[in-house]
Amino acid sequence: MKNKYLLFILIILNSLICKSTFADQFNFQTSDIKVINDGNLIIAGEGTATSQDDNYEIQAKKFEYSKNLKLLIAYDGTLFVKTDNIIIKFGEIKLDKEKNTFTAKENIKISDIKNEVLIETDEISYNEKLKLLSSKTKSSLRDESQNILTTEKF
């Protein structure tokens, strides 16, 4: 019986000491976390956010998550999309878990690890259901042979 109480106390202490939290769709492990608006808004400092389905892993300098909108905004970081094996470096990214989409802007670099392709652009949109990546800005694509393709949009 004492072991159960001790385990319970250790779990409570661990949750108070660790600066990580679950927010419906994301698990945050960051330097600092602020929960405001009755838990509907989470502001977090530098660290990592992982999606509940473990498909997205975001490392960034700052996070803002709206539980009501299921919208995560991250600044100055990288996104690893595990199912598609791509890494995206961004200035700002907005992940909408309700619509299964994200948009990123500011010095975007997309590395397709499997196909050894690098895309550079200023803004992208991605629809996870359709597996559709698009950009309305000038972009360049470089393959493993260093061939370069430049386009106004894709």
Side-chain angles (χ1 to χ4, degrees):
M1 190 70 152
K2 284 184 182 182
N3 288 340
K4 287 183 182 180
Y5 288 118
L6 181 59
L7 180 61
F8 178 75
I9 290 170
L10 288 174
I11 291 171
I12 296 297
L13 285 175
N14 187 40
S15 67
L16 293 173
I17 293 170
C18 288
K19 289 190 176 182
S20 69
T21 187
F22 286 93
D24 280 354
Q25 302 293 317
F26 292 93
N27 175 28
F28 293 90
Q29 294 181 329
T30 64
S31 57
D32 63 292
I33 296 175
K34 295 176 187 171
V35 180
I36 51 180
N37 291 346
D38 296 324
N40 291 319
L41 181 63
I42 294 174
I43 308 292
E46 187 169 356
T48 304
T50 306
S51 62
Q52 186 178 36
D53 63 6
D54 204 38
N55 188 36
Y56 294 144
E57 183 177 300
I58 307 116
Q59 294 181 345
K61 291 187 179 177
K62 181 181 177 186
F63 298 93
E64 298 173 8
Y65 179 66
S66 170
K67 287 174 82 172
N68 293 340
L69 301 175
K70 295 184 180 176
L71 179 70
L72 174 68
I73 304 172
Y75 301 93
D76 296 319
T78 59
L79 165 65
F80 178 42
V81 183
K82 294 178 182 178
T83 55
D84 297 324
N85 211 20
I86 59 173
I87 297 172
I88 302 171
K89 292 183 182 180
F90 58 85
E92 178 183 301
I93 195 164
K94 295 180 181 180
L95 292 101
D96 186 332
K97 291 301 283 180
E98 187 75 28
K99 297 178 184 175
N100 287 320
T101 62
F102 66 78
T103 58
K105 59 184 179 180
E106 299 174 22
N107 300 317
I108 306 301
K109 292 184 181 180
I110 305 165
S111 299
D112 183 333
I113 299 166
K114 181 180 178 185
N115 297 313
E116 297 182 36
V117 172
L118 175 68
I119 301 172
E120 295 180 276
T121 189
D122 288 323
E123 189 172 325
I124 60 155
S125 298
Y126 182 72
N127 184 312
E128 187 176 9
K129 288 181 182 177
L130 301 175
K131 301 286 187 201
L132 179 65
L133 180 68
S134 62
S135 177
K136 295 179 182 177
T137 60
K138 187 174 181 176
S139 306
S140 67
L141 180 141
R142 182 179 314 210
D143 66 13
E144 73 276 1
S145 300
Q146 300 304 311
N147 296 313
I148 298 174
L149 171 69
T150 303
T151 183
E152 294 300 314
K153 62 182 179 177
F154 65 90

